[in-house]
Amino acid sequence: MAAPIESLLNEICESEDPIEELKSLRTAVLATPVSGLRQAVSGARLEIIFGLLNTNDKEQIEVCVEILSRVLQALEPIQLAQNYKTALQSGLNHPNDSVKVLTLTQMGRVAGHAEGVYQMLNSAEILCDVIECISVERIAVAKEAIAALSKLSNTKAGLDVLFHSDLLNKMKDVMLTSDIIRYRVYELIVEVSTVSPVSLGYCANSGLISQMLEELTGDDVLVRATAIEMVTNLAQSQHGRQYLAQQGIMDKISNMIIIFGAHNYLKLKTYLNEGPYYINAVSSVITEGAD
């Protein structure tokens, strides 16, 4: 299958309107097991496909995304980081959200790889672009960005880059976009915090956890309820529970549930499920208090 794929790439490179050749390539790569693709795409000129993403033709973009989604899975994360860094960065800034999701998925693979993560950490500009993707309206894009960034917390070097550099200011700037985006950043902070006591320490020292906890006493009832969801997620880890207990937060939440009342809670839960917040529901802790 390696020869047909290479041959199709050559045909695509020579064609002025390559949509049919792209469809043929899509068929070929989807028909090949990932294990077989690994040899087939080794040394292949995938930059040709990346280049064809630069178009307003939605069908061409869709086919290219399908091809790359399949083919890139056959490459090791370190290969992505070393050989396709420029292409991936372009993908983060592409106007089409499907391209962003594709790129962020691959970034997540790199961030979770022992060697690839250091390639990513040396690219502050790329990390800034990943953080910016949290503010994209489409939830799928934001979730992939959060997932990729949270994987950086598995290493001390990753924590240092996220919280001891200009990237922290970038996160704070993104939070100013809207209430929804602010809570997406809180979700990232909570995910990082639950990894280990060390990662929780980085998040606490950044001031973002304190800022999140202050949301519990705000005037907006919906914002307060969403803050409870975030705090409850933080409490899923033992070190998170200990931290919250030391801050006196659990008692504060219990009192809020009593004051808020079951009837108002049920109306609020319905709104959170159907309203503009992308968090699916408030915490089960509140549910128990409302029953």
Side-chain angles (χ1 to χ4, degrees):
M1 186 61 72
I5 288 178
E6 184 64 30
S7 175
L8 285 168
L9 284 170
N10 289 334
E11 291 179 21
I12 290 168
C13 188
E14 295 170 0
S15 175
E16 293 184 3
D17 184 16
I19 188 65
E20 294 305 320
E21 289 83 358
L22 282 169
K23 289 179 179 179
S24 296
L25 179 59
R26 177 179 62 185
T27 300
V29 299
L30 291 178
T32 306
V34 173
S35 57
L37 276 177
R38 189 165 291 114
Q39 179 179 0
V41 302
S42 178
R45 295 177 295 168
L46 297 182
E47 64 275 6
I48 296 172
I49 309 301
F50 278 111
L52 290 173
L53 290 170
N54 299 320
T55 178
N56 293 321
D57 187 325
K58 292 183 179 180
E59 183 182 21
Q60 180 169 308
I61 292 173
E62 179 183 344
V63 175
C64 287
V65 167
E66 289 184 82
I67 292 170
L68 290 170
S69 295
R70 180 72 169 176
V71 169
L72 295 180
Q73 289 298 319
L75 299 179
E76 292 296 326
I78 189 67
Q79 290 178 281
L80 291 172
Q82 292 177 340
N83 301 331
Y84 298 102
K85 176 180 174 181
T86 301
L88 291 174
Q89 184 168 7
S90 296
L92 292 174
N93 294 285
H94 198 282
N96 186 289
D97 286 344
S98 295
V99 178
K100 285 188 173 74
V101 171
L102 164 69
T103 306
L104 288 165
T105 300
Q106 300 308 317
M107 288 292 186
R109 292 181 63 214
V110 173
H113 187 269
E115 296 179 38
V117 64
Y118 290 101
Q119 294 281 334
M120 192 170 175
L121 292 175
N122 289 328
S123 303
E125 189 175 351
I126 287 180
L127 292 174
C128 277
D129 289 339
V130 174
I131 292 172
E132 185 65 34
C133 284
I134 296 176
S135 65
V136 172
E137 182 178 358
R138 186 177 173 188
I139 297 170
V141 176
K143 283 187 173 293
E144 289 295 339
I146 291 169
L149 290 167
S150 65
K151 289 180 181 179
L152 296 179
S153 62
N154 292 322
T155 65
K156 183 180 182 301
L159 289 167
D160 284 336
V161 168
L162 276 179
F163 295 101
H164 292 166
S165 72
D166 290 339
L167 294 181
L168 178 58
N169 291 329
K170 177 64 177 179
M171 283 191 281
K172 292 180 178 179
D173 288 343
V174 166
M175 293 174 75
L176 299 175
T177 306
S178 68
D179 287 348
I180 294 174
I181 305 307
R182 186 169 75 254
Y183 271 88
R184 289 180 182 179
V185 176
Y186 286 151
E187 180 180 345
L188 169 62
I189 295 302
V190 169
E191 285 195 18
V192 172
S193 297
T194 57
V195 171
S196 69
V198 173
S199 62
L200 173 58
Y202 274 81
C203 293
N205 290 335
S206 74
L208 292 179
I209 291 184
S210 297
Q211 182 177 334
M212 180 180 72
L213 297 180
E214 289 173 3
E215 306 264 10
L216 293 170
T217 56
D219 295 330
D220 190 322
V221 175
L222 295 172
V223 169
R224 281 158 51 194
T226 312
I228 293 176
E229 165 73 6
M230 294 290 100
V231 171
T232 303
N233 289 340
L234 180 57
Q236 297 303 309
S237 65
Q238 183 178 356
H239 59 274
R241 289 192 296 274
Q242 290 176 343
Y243 174 82
L244 293 171
Q246 291 169 359
Q247 303 298 314
I249 298 302
M250 303 313 291
D251 291 338
K252 182 181 293 186
I253 291 177
S254 297
N255 291 334
M256 288 175 62
I257 293 170
I258 294 171
I259 295 171
F260 193 58
H263 177 67
N264 286 332
Y265 160 74
L266 291 174
K267 289 195 297 183
L268 172 63
K269 183 176 180 180
T270 299
Y271 182 82
L272 286 176
N273 282 331
E274 300 176 357
Y277 292 91
Y278 83 98
I279 298 170
N280 290 329
V282 287
S283 78
S284 57
V285 172
I286 311 177
T287 306
E288 293 170 1
D291 291 337

